[in-house]
Amino acid sequence: MRKKTIGEVLRLARINQGLSLEELQAKTDIQMNLLEAMEADDFDQLPSTFYARSFLRKYAWAVELDERIILDAYDSGSMITYEEVDVDEGDLSGRRRSNKKKTSFLPLFYFVLLALSILIFVTYYVWNYIQTQPTRPSSAHYSVVSSNSSSTSVSQSSSSSQTSSSSSSVESTITISGEGEHIEAHYKTNNETVNVQLTVTDTTSWISVSESELEGGVTLSAENKKATTTISTKNPVTITLGVVKGVTLTIDNQAIDTSKLTTQTGTITITFSTN
């Protein structure tokens, strides 16, 4: 069994690591004169006992020694007993190396955990987005809005509107209620049919109107900006908008306020009553 002072053990460990005092200073951020004082066992040059323990711990870590043995020797004022001449292969460094092996996999574990969390969040967001999209019909359904059918619908709607207006002396009114993804437009009119028109400006939106020739749906875009149909006032009608923003809805040339539809897609239910 051999004994050495704390300073001798520190200096021997540094030499075994192949470190100069300058390299050790860069590694520990401890001033050169304080490193030399610790190797000379001149702990009185250190600012205080607190700093002495902190510097000894940093020095031990830098040269792969077990700081507990160094600090125990410092606290008790004793020398360090060891069996092997090569300190870095003895009992002093063995415990620190074991600790490093035990904790080396923690960063990988946290990285895998973070990656799984991101993957789960993205999967849920994509699934939720798909669920909220309306089911688009086959392309065969788009033929319902052609130039001829649109012209015929406009003509029929205009004729019906003129006839109804001449027979009624009371002005038709529309009231809006609801918000979010669904609103309701209540239309007071004595007409048996009304004209519904949907137009887009600079957006593309799939739309459908129940109880009408547009029930199968149609896509409005820059090439096909307008769709018009005539609906009966006997039953409620539901209008579905694949994209709300940029779509204008009118009933008998009266614009419907859709500003309370705050979601990307939305529905409008039109109900009717007589004046």
Side-chain angles (χ1 to χ4, degrees), residues 105-123:
F105 294 103
L106 283 178
L108 178 61
F109 170 78
Y110 291 134
F111 175 81
V112 173
L113 185 61
L114 177 61
L116 287 175
S117 300
I118 294 174
L119 178 62
I120 292 171
F121 174 80
V122 172
T123 302

Side-chain angles (χ1 to χ4, degrees), residues 46-82:
L46 303 182
S48 65
T49 301
F50 172 81
Y51 282 104
R53 291 176 57 84
S54 177
F55 291 162
L56 286 171
R57 183 179 289 108
K58 280 187 176 182
Y59 196 126
W61 171 83
V63 296
E64 298 187 5
L65 292 178
D66 190 336
E67 68 268 16
R68 290 174 297 178
I69 295 177
I70 301 298
L71 293 176
D72 287 345
Y74 174 77
D75 292 337
S76 62
S78 60
M79 301 181 71
I80 298 174
T81 303
Y82 67 100

Side-chain angles (χ1 to χ4, degrees), residues 253-269:
N253 295 322
Q254 297 186 63
I256 303 301
D257 182 11
T258 60
S259 61
K260 291 187 177 181
L261 287 175
T262 56
T263 55
Q264 182 181 5
T265 62
T267 56
I268 306 167
T269 299

